[in-house]
């Protein structure tokens, strides 16, 4: 989560007061306009990032996540990350003290946000630091934080992560990944990409798997499905989304989407 907001003139947010109170969990809530980018940064805290509207993209060295209102990204402390708001949204960032992080997932991931977790996140991010009774306010924050940590101890990890070749990895594979990210509907096959890069098909497949941990076909499908979430939330017709995402038909896209996310795109669009 960034420490500056487009609505406060870009001034840095001071979280030292919450940190000084020794709270295990504290946070902020910010509004971002469509297209806003929070540059790469990191925190000395574990970080839970949630958007109650819209779709937030979180990028880290290990990959990218697209976060709808039913999910949140969990990042370990010290993980550099960048945020992009494809659509206007309100983001909530919670910061978790290092000693408490041991009770949360040991790897960066996307977790499901239940109704209870959503309310806890919003309450902690919007806590009134100007409350007259500081002791009562801190006690309430501690109780809310403890309940949130308990709810997140063993969360189901959602399929909203796109692995990305790390810095120093195969530069040609990074080039392919970036090109597909810029144009998810690119229909070039693995053989065609191998030809463009002047390498054999087996070599291309091996290098892609080594760099991303996924086969080319699986990675591209994951990218296409994740990229399609934004236009779905913007109300673009499903057939149009399917074709722009590289699928031949509404039905092919719906089948792949349902298999990946456990619901058809029409249900996802209706629920977000």
């Amino acid at each position: 989560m960034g420490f500056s907001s487009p609505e406060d003139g870009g001034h840095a947010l001071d979280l030292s007061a919450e940190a000084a109170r020794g709270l295990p969990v504290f946070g902020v809530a910010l509004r971002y306009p469509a297209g806003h980018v929070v540059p790469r940064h990191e925190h000395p805290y574990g970080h839970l990032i949630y958007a109650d509207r819209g779709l937030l993209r979180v990028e880290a060295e290990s990959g990218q996540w697209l976060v709808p209102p039913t999910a949140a990204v969990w990042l370990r402390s010290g993980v550099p990350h960048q945020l992009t708001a494809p659509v206007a949204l309100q983001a909530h960032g919670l910061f978790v003290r290092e000693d408490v992080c041991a009770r949360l997932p040991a790897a960066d991931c996307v977790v499901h946000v239940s109704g209870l977790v959503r309310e806890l996140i919003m309450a902690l991010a919007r806590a009134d630091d100007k409350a007259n009774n500081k002791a009562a306010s801190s006690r309430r924050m501690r109780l809310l934080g403890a309940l949130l940590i308990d709810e997140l101890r063993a969360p189901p990890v959602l399929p909203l992560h796109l692995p990305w070749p790390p810095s120093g990895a195969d530069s040609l594979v990074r080039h392919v990944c970036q090109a597909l990210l810029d144009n998810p509907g690119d229909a070039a096959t693995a053989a065609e990409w191998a030809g463009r890069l002047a390498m054999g098909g087996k070599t291309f497949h091996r290098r892609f798997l080594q760099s991303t941990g996924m086969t080319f076909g699986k990675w591209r499908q994951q990218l296409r499905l994740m990229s399609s979430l934004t236009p779905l939330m913007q109300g673009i017709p499903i057939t149009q989304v399917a074709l722009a995402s590289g699928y031949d038909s509404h039905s092919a896209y719906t089948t792949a989407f349902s298999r990946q996310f456990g619901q058809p795109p029409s249900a996802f669009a209706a629920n977000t």
Side-chain angles (χ1 to χ4, degrees), residues 62-243:
S62 60
Q64 303 187 16
W65 297 266
L66 280 173
V67 193
T70 54
V73 170
W74 164 250
L75 298 176
R76 296 158 298 147
S77 61
V79 174
H81 57 283
Q82 173 178 300
L83 309 182
T84 302
V87 299
L89 54 82
Q90 178 156 358
H92 300 74
L94 297 187
F95 302 92
V96 182
R97 206 171 59 203
E98 182 66 23
D99 60 303
V100 182
C101 289
R103 298 165 56 191
L104 294 175
D108 307 325
C109 59
V110 175
V111 298
H112 174 65
V113 172
S114 65
L116 174 58
V117 169
R118 177 182 182 274
E119 294 304 319
L120 289 169
I121 289 173
M122 297 180 74
L124 285 161
R126 295 174 176 172
D128 185 7
D129 188 48
K130 298 180 181 179
N132 291 329
N133 190 332
K134 295 287 186 180
S137 176
S138 292
R139 181 176 181 276
R140 179 173 181 271
M141 288 275 285
R142 291 177 185 277
L143 290 172
L144 291 175
L147 180 56
L148 176 67
I149 296 300
D150 193 59
E151 289 292 308
L152 293 177
R153 287 180 68 179
V157 176
L158 303 181
L160 294 168
H161 174 241
L162 184 70
W164 198 261
S167 298
D170 195 315
S171 61
L172 291 179
V173 173
R174 288 177 65 90
H175 166 74
V176 173
C177 291
Q178 187 60 54
L180 291 173
L181 180 65
D182 295 338
N183 180 19
D186 187 327
T189 64
E192 289 171 330
W193 273 109
R196 294 176 187 178
L197 301 173
M199 69 175 71
K202 290 184 178 179
T203 300
F204 175 79
H205 281 294
R206 184 183 71 253
R207 289 169 64 169
F208 197 95
L209 181 61
Q210 288 175 342
S211 296
T212 66
M214 297 177 73
T215 64
F216 173 79
K218 180 65 176 176
W219 188 93
R220 183 168 64 177
Q221 176 170 279
Q222 182 86 335
L223 166 69
R224 287 176 168 179
L225 292 173
M226 287 176 59
S227 298
S228 74
L229 299 179
T230 297
L232 279 179
M233 295 187 69
Q234 293 172 331
I236 295 176
I238 293 176
T239 298
Q240 186 175 337
V241 173
L243 296 177

Side-chain angles (χ1 to χ4, degrees), residues 18-70:
E18 288 86 347
R21 289 158 65 185
L23 295 171
V25 183
F26 57 92
V28 295
L30 299 172
R31 291 185 182 277
Y32 293 133
H36 183 73
V37 176
V38 178
R40 188 170 292 263
H41 61 284
E42 60 186 86
H43 309 294
Y45 310 99
H47 195 18
L48 189 72
I49 309 170
Y50 171 70
D52 65 346
R53 301 183 192 87
L55 194 72
L56 185 65
R57 188 168 83 198
V58 181
E59 302 174 44
E61 182 66 19
S62 60
Q64 303 187 16
W65 297 266
L66 280 173
V67 193
T70 54

